[in-house]
Amino acid sequence: MKIVRVQDIIGTEREVSDKQWTSRRLLLKKDGMGFSFHETIIKAGSEHTFWYKHHLEAVYCVAGNGRIKDLATGEVHEITDGTLYALDKHDRHTLYGGTEDMRLICAFNPPVTGREIHDEDGAYLPDTSED
């Protein structure tokens, strides 16, 4: 059994951030669960384009608001507390922070290692390590 408290992640190598977002990686590949699990804070008014070409992601909003735009279709969806979106087709998208910070709970498959950074397409490169 694993017990992870987000307050124990803050300020460690499992917390990654810039001025527009913070990602707290509660479970990573090395935890052996077959997926990774994150708390992500998207700052109000920010804009992010992502394309997880090598990962599937499910995201559940537990606080705040924003919007997501599907770049293939142009559809825009409101995100509020209680909304889940699943990037089940490696969907290229733009995420917009709303009037208040969004607190998102995210699961990635395959799991991330915690060393990833977004490339020029907004993707994480695939992990090819054995560990």
Side-chain angles (χ1 to χ4, degrees):
M1 178 182 298
K2 296 180 185 304
I3 305 295
V4 181
R5 291 181 174 82
V6 74
Q7 63 264 31
D8 297 333
I9 300 291
I10 295 171
T12 72
E13 70 281 351
R14 287 185 180 232
E15 182 181 52
V16 180
S17 64
D18 72 9
K19 293 179 182 181
Q20 301 298 320
W21 57 268
T22 300
S23 177
R24 297 173 179 134
R25 283 88 186 265
L26 290 97
L27 294 173
L28 293 170
K29 180 181 179 182
K30 67 183 175 183
D31 294 308
M33 296 293 295
F35 60 91
S36 57
F37 197 76
H38 314 213
E39 175 188 73
T40 299
I41 308 297
I42 299 293
K43 296 292 185 182
S46 64
E47 181 177 325
H48 315 267
T49 298
F50 300 120
W51 185 16
Y52 296 118
K53 298 181 267 187
H54 312 288
H55 297 83
L56 297 175
E57 182 188 24
V59 178
Y60 183 66
C61 179
V62 297
N65 62 68
R67 296 175 293 127
I68 187 168
K69 180 177 184 179
D70 182 330
L71 295 178
T73 66
E75 290 180 284
V76 177
H77 304 276
E78 295 296 318
I79 301 172
T80 57
D81 181 13
T83 303
L84 178 133
Y85 64 88
L87 303 170
D88 60 336
K89 296 178 181 68
H90 306 280
D91 310 88
R92 190 166 180 259
H93 61 286
T94 299
L95 189 59
Y96 302 93
T99 59
E100 54 190 69
D101 291 355
M102 269 192 298
R103 183 170 165 243
L104 306 172
I105 306 302
C106 314
F108 278 88
N109 183 19
V112 302
T113 65
R115 298 181 301 267
E116 292 82 1
I117 58 169
H118 292 102
D119 70 9
E120 63 277 354
D121 287 331
Y124 290 146
L125 295 176
D127 175 35
T128 56
S129 67
E130 294 296 319
D131 60 353

